Structure formats: C-alpha cells, structure tokens
Amino acid sequence: MRFPDKQVRSCACYAGSWSSIVPTFCCTDDLQDTRYFMELICSVPAEPLPMQILALASNAGKANQDAQMTYAALANHRQPHLDCLAYLSQLVLHQINVSKLPLLALIYQNNMSWRSYRMFFRDPSMATSKQTYYDLSTMLMKVAATMPDTLVKTKVMHLMRCSGTVSLAAAACSMDVLRVWGRWARSEGVVGKSYLPKSPLSALPATGVLAGFGTDFMTNHAFGRGTVAVPVAWIDALAPHARVIFQVVRLRNRMRTGKADFSGQHCVESILYLAETFWQSSPFMLQRYGLGWWALQLPAVRFIVGSSSFRQFEQRVIDAELECNARPLSPQMTEAFDKISKHVCSLSEQ
C-alpha cells in the first residue's frame, strides 16, 4: 500500500493485501468474477461481543463448473493487520472515492447495471468485465515481486487455497468443515455439492478460525476495536450519501414503488459497515504504512486524521485492543498452543 508505482499501489490496496492473509474464497481464480453482491447476513451471538458476518457472492472458479452462485462468509480478524474486512473496506472505498465507481448512484437511481461491476479490475474501464486468469495473476505478481522470495504465477494463484487449507487443518477443523469450505470434490451428493456451499454459514467454524479466534470463537470473540463507536460524520466522509441512499432503497423495496432491489439494499448496508471497519482499523494502518497509506490522498481522511478528535478515537481503539489482548486465553486455545510447543521442542531435540 505504499509502492512508488501507481498501478502497483492500486493493486496492492486489495490483491496484495488479500494474498498476505488467509483466503476468503477458496481459489484465487474464484475472485475473477466476484461482484458487489455483499450482505451483512447476521450477527452471530458470540461472547463477549457478537460476530458480524459479511457474505460475498461469486459464480466463478474452477470448483464451480456450473456457474452457480456461491458465497463466502467473512468476519473481522482478531489481529488488525490481518483483518480481511479492513482490507476489503479499503478496496471498496478506494473504488468509490478514487476510481469513481458510480455504484451508490446507480443503486439510488434503481439502475440494475450496478450488478455488472466486479470487485477486482486492473482499470476502471474494465470494471464491468470478468477478469481473466492473466489479469488477476498479473496484479498478484506485481505485488509478489516486491517480496524477497519470487513466486511463479501458478504458486501465486494457489497461495490462498493452500494457506486456507493449512490454517484450518492446523486449528483442528474437521474434514467435513474443510470440505464444505473448500468445495472439495469429495463432498458427495446434492447436500455437499449444492445446498451447503450456497449458505455462507455452512462452514461457520472455518470463518471463526480464519478470523483468528479458534474453533471456540463463540465464547472467545474478544474484538476490542469493534467496541469503539465511529462518528457518523466520518462514515459520511468516506461513503457520501450512503446512509440516505440506504433509507431510500429500503423504503422503495418496502413500498414497492420501483424495481425491487434487495441486493442493492444489502450492498449499501455492507458499504456502511465497511466504512465503520475502515476507521476502526485506521490507527493500525497509520502505524504500519505512515504517510505512505493510500487513504491519506483523500482530503476528508487527511482532515479527520489531523484532528484532535481522531487522536482521542485512536487512543480508545488502541486501549480496547490492548484490553482484549490481555484477556487470558480460553482453555481450548491454551491446550492447542501447549501441543504446538511440545511438538516444536521434540523437533528441536531431533
């Protein structure tokens, strides 16, 4: 996110960030046709803070030969620098504010052409076209080229699938959960091949593990920055008129005064949540990227970051994170770490 080349920097806003974390969809080529079908599907009643689940839809990928609409469930990561929703918020807000994607305007106008916009594109002129394997691999290779060890194209494109599978297995997720999450061929029958992959919550334990909370996330969801309220004016600064558009679209759907567009309503609601996530993760983005953080090119962000109210907000976020990190680990996680330590010690002795 702080690369001298403009094209590499825009790619790194999302492609590079996502390649550095555990995956959302199962294969990197699944991302080729990911559109703006987003939905805040539920608030899982975890403790001490409910877990917000955002679903992304896609009908592409080599594990989806019939082009059925499948979904991936995402949750905020325990560690701010690994939070896929924080990076997703930067992708979406970058495209709205920098690439000038008219997503919100089209939804407000009841224009269904917004559904043709893809999340991943090399240039705004290509936003309505499905990205090719070459386009996506080129974006990832540009980011991978900044790393010490060079990765070949095939390795880059399988990085997410491999890392996700290893992460789930290491966290003791069952093979059944892993197969549903990964849409592996051995998920037999209609239930495994069709019904389960269409529900983002079918592999909820995988979502909890990939978010860094372990398989016991229902009793271990200590998410500090999520407890800090974001000023409404800051959300409006990043997503202008989004709150008004959400109210208009929701009323239109309820009163049936135009074409029903519940997908558009869910998309705007998700953008509002991502704007909130953006600010809750902003202290850590500033800490990591400093003046090289792309968001500082937005006048509204520069103004807010330079204010005294942001410094107070920043301190509250950091304090909340420190308090959560000071919480004792759950018995399940403590036991898992003990096993890993013993295994590492045995390998050292050998």
Side-chain angles (χ1 to χ4, degrees):
M1 273 189 258
R2 50 177 178 186
F3 300 98
D5 182 83
K6 182 179 180 181
Q7 187 178 11
V8 176
R9 184 168 64 248
S10 63
C11 294
C13 279
Y14 38 90
S17 301
W18 282 31
S19 69
S20 67
I21 60 175
V22 288
T24 51
F25 289 96
C26 310
C27 304
T28 307
D29 55 356
D30 287 12
L31 299 174
Q32 290 173 214
D33 204 36
T34 304
R35 308 191 190 195
Y36 271 91
F37 288 104
M38 301 185 291
E39 182 178 355
L40 262 173
I41 54 174
C42 71
S43 179
V44 177
E47 295 291 343
L49 187 73
M51 176 182 283
Q52 302 296 328
I53 302 294
L54 181 79
L56 289 181
S58 175
N59 60 352
K62 70 177 184 180
N64 187 13
Q65 298 298 323
D66 298 326
Q68 296 182 351
M69 193 65 78
T70 55
Y71 302 86
L74 307 176
N76 291 100
H77 198 281
R78 185 184 193 117
Q79 300 298 331
H81 291 307
L82 297 177
D83 191 349
C84 61
L85 287 183
Y87 289 113
L88 178 62
S89 72
Q90 297 189 61
L91 160 65
V92 173
L93 296 169
H94 181 278
Q95 292 182 353
I96 290 175
N97 291 284
V98 179
S99 300
K100 302 300 181 183
L101 207 67
L103 187 69
L104 292 171
L106 291 174
I107 293 174
Y108 174 72
Q109 296 163 7
N110 209 195
N111 186 333
M112 300 302 172
S113 64
W114 73 267
R115 300 184 178 190
S116 64
Y117 284 117
R118 272 67 172 180
M119 278 193 169
F120 295 88
F121 50 80
R122 296 177 62 190
D123 185 86
S125 63
M126 304 168 62
T128 57
S129 304
K130 177 181 177 180
Q131 301 303 294
T132 65
Y133 183 95
Y134 172 78
D135 289 332
L136 197 58
S137 64
T138 300
M139 286 196 293
L140 290 175
M141 287 295 289
K142 281 180 176 290
V143 179
T146 66
M147 302 176 186
D149 298 321
T150 304
L151 296 175
V152 298
K153 184 185 299 183
T154 54
K155 295 293 184 182
V156 167
M157 293 295 281
H158 283 83
L159 182 63
M160 297 185 186
R161 188 172 179 84
C162 294
S163 62
T165 306
V166 171
S167 298
L168 293 178
C173 266
S174 69
M175 284 299 296
D176 289 336
V177 168
L178 197 149
R179 284 172 182 158
V180 170
W181 174 85
R183 306 175 206 137
W184 298 100
R186 287 188 61 188
S187 297
E188 302 292 348
V190 176
V191 172
K193 290 183 178 178
S194 182
Y195 293 162
L196 290 180
K198 289 182 179 179
S199 171
L201 298 180
S202 295
L204 186 59
T207 303
V209 167
L210 295 179
F213 295 99
T215 53
D216 58 329
F217 65 93
M218 290 294 288
T219 57
N220 186 44
H221 190 243
F223 180 50
R225 60 192 183 280
T227 63
V228 182
V230 177
V232 172
W234 295 7
I235 294 175
D236 291 343
L238 285 174
H241 312 299
R243 289 188 301 115
V244 174
I245 292 172
F246 174 71
Q247 297 297 338
V248 169
V249 175
R250 184 170 64 173
L251 182 62
R252 186 167 60 207
N253 287 334
R254 184 179 300 169
M255 303 299 292
R256 301 182 184 278
T257 56
K259 296 179 183 177
D261 189 11
F262 289 99
S263 296
Q265 176 183 327
H266 297 318
C267 180
V268 179
E269 183 182 24
S270 300
I271 289 173
L272 290 170
Y273 178 73
L274 290 174
E276 185 178 10
T277 298
F278 174 95
W279 286 114
Q280 289 170 341
S281 63
S282 61
F284 305 99
M285 295 300 167
L286 284 168
Q287 179 188 65
R288 183 169 188 177
Y289 300 108
L291 296 177
W293 187 31
W294 75 269
L296 292 178
Q297 69 181 280
L298 301 177
V301 173
R302 283 202 308 273
F303 177 78
I304 292 171
V305 168
S307 66
S308 58
S309 57
F310 179 81
R311 286 192 288 276
Q312 295 169 5
F313 171 82
E314 182 179 40
Q315 191 58 54
R316 289 198 300 273
V317 169
I318 293 173
D319 289 344
E321 284 292 299
L322 290 174
E323 182 179 349
C324 282
N325 289 329
R327 290 168 58 91
L329 291 173
S330 64
Q332 294 93 327
M333 293 190 73
T334 302
E335 183 181 354
F337 282 131
D338 287 343
K339 288 181 179 179
I340 294 172
S341 297
K342 290 177 182 178
H343 184 60
V344 171
C345 288
S346 64
L347 289 176
S348 300
E349 293 173 358
Q350 293 175 13

